[in-house]
Amino acid sequence: MLTMAQINPKIEESWKKELAGEFRSHYFSQLKDFLVEEKKKYRVFPPGSLIFNAFNHTPFDKVKVVILGQDPYHGFGQAHGLCFSVPEGVPKPPSLVNIFREIQSDLGVSPPAQGTLIKWADQGVLLINAILTVRENQAGSHQGRGWEQLTDAAIRVLSEKREGLIFLLWGKFAITKKELIDNSCHFVLTAPHPSPLSASRGFLGCRHFSQVNTLLQQMGKEEINWSL
């Protein structure tokens, strides 16, 4: 059993400060214990060093856009801590293919050969899953273990302490997070999920990527270069 004093997650310093209370909480201690035991029995993704990758690439004060996913890809080698993204050399999953289709339609940008979205993250796009780990080949297997409390806290603190952020919520699960966001000082764009099961019902054609850049331009902020 790990004590709370022993929990010192390797996460970017500004986020560690903003989420310090969460890391000292009882639920996070239980989550840590769960992951220790889970890794004794199963393969867990992403690797421990990449669990907080989204936070590490996009410090708290650098966030301009938030894209929310549900949980990591559960196939070997796919998850690397950024929602919808895969490491270089890994085939693009269907949802990511549809994201690139929409960017091409919206902005005229040809789909890239690879599927890593690190370039977006480094420009201020927080690519965060609500659940940060998963058991191999078992989607949703770490649901309800505590990650949602941590990532809800991250969304809430962004809403409370920042202004003019743009939240892209795709699919029913992500859209439920609207209640955490103060839409009087932030922008919330919603659409169906980019999964092949729902993309044709409104994700394709949503034009969120051009809308984001229009909003950023209106606020005097640098636009996101969505090409990779």
Side-chain angles (χ1 to χ4, degrees):
M1 178 73 70
L2 291 165
T3 66
M4 294 184 197
Q6 290 173 296
I7 297 177
N8 184 28
K10 294 180 180 178
I11 187 172
E12 190 273 332
E13 285 300 318
S14 65
W15 278 110
K16 183 179 284 191
K17 179 181 176 182
E18 295 297 338
L19 298 175
E22 307 303 313
F23 296 135
R24 291 193 297 266
S25 69
H26 182 62
Y27 84 80
F28 195 82
S29 178
Q30 289 184 315
L31 171 61
K32 183 76 173 183
D33 292 338
F34 164 74
L35 290 173
V36 169
E37 293 303 313
E38 186 80 346
K39 289 178 180 180
K40 292 177 182 178
K41 305 172 188 175
Y42 307 101
R43 187 176 278 166
V44 172
F45 301 137
S49 62
L50 297 178
I51 289 174
F52 295 113
N53 209 19
F55 299 99
N56 294 338
H57 276 279
T58 315
F60 182 78
D61 290 333
K62 302 296 184 183
V63 176
K64 296 192 287 188
V65 181
V66 180
I67 298 179
L68 181 69
Q70 188 160 358
D71 68 341
Y73 296 125
H74 52 82
F76 179 79
Q78 290 183 305
H80 68 143
L82 305 175
C83 72
F84 295 108
S85 180
V86 290
E88 286 191 36
V90 175
K92 291 174 282 189
S95 292
L96 184 57
V97 170
N98 283 332
I99 289 170
F100 290 145
R101 282 181 64 193
E102 175 57 23
I103 290 173
Q104 182 174 25
S105 173
D106 189 10
L107 301 172
V109 174
S110 297
Q114 50 74 39
T116 180
L117 305 180
I118 287 174
K119 184 177 177 182
W120 295 0
D122 290 340
Q123 294 179 78
V125 182
L126 182 66
L127 296 162
I128 183 177
N129 280 310
I131 303 159
L132 299 186
T133 57
V134 69
R135 187 186 299 173
E136 183 176 23
N137 296 328
Q138 295 190 39
S141 49
H142 289 182
Q143 186 174 351
R145 294 290 183 169
W147 283 129
E148 297 95 329
Q149 289 170 260
L150 178 72
T151 53
D152 280 1
I155 295 169
R156 194 177 293 111
V157 74
L158 283 169
S159 177
E160 292 172 355
K161 294 190 176 183
R162 298 289 311 280
E163 290 186 4
L165 300 183
I166 306 166
F167 292 83
L168 304 184
L169 307 181
W170 300 333
K172 291 179 181 178
F173 174 83
I175 291 170
T176 64
K177 304 298 181 179
K178 284 177 66 174
E179 64 186 29
L180 304 173
I181 304 163
D182 182 353
N183 62 12
S184 70
C185 57
H186 300 289
F187 303 93
V188 179
L189 305 181
T190 64
H193 195 276
S195 160
L197 297 174
S198 55
S200 62
R201 297 203 294 266
F203 177 80
L204 297 175
C206 69
R207 302 184 64 83
H208 278 181
F209 302 96
S210 60
Q211 289 184 59
V212 165
N213 280 347
T214 296
L215 290 168
L216 290 172
Q217 188 178 47
Q218 290 172 351
M219 291 185 284
K221 298 179 181 180
E222 188 174 353
E223 298 178 10
I224 304 298
N225 178 2
W226 296 108
S227 64
L228 296 170

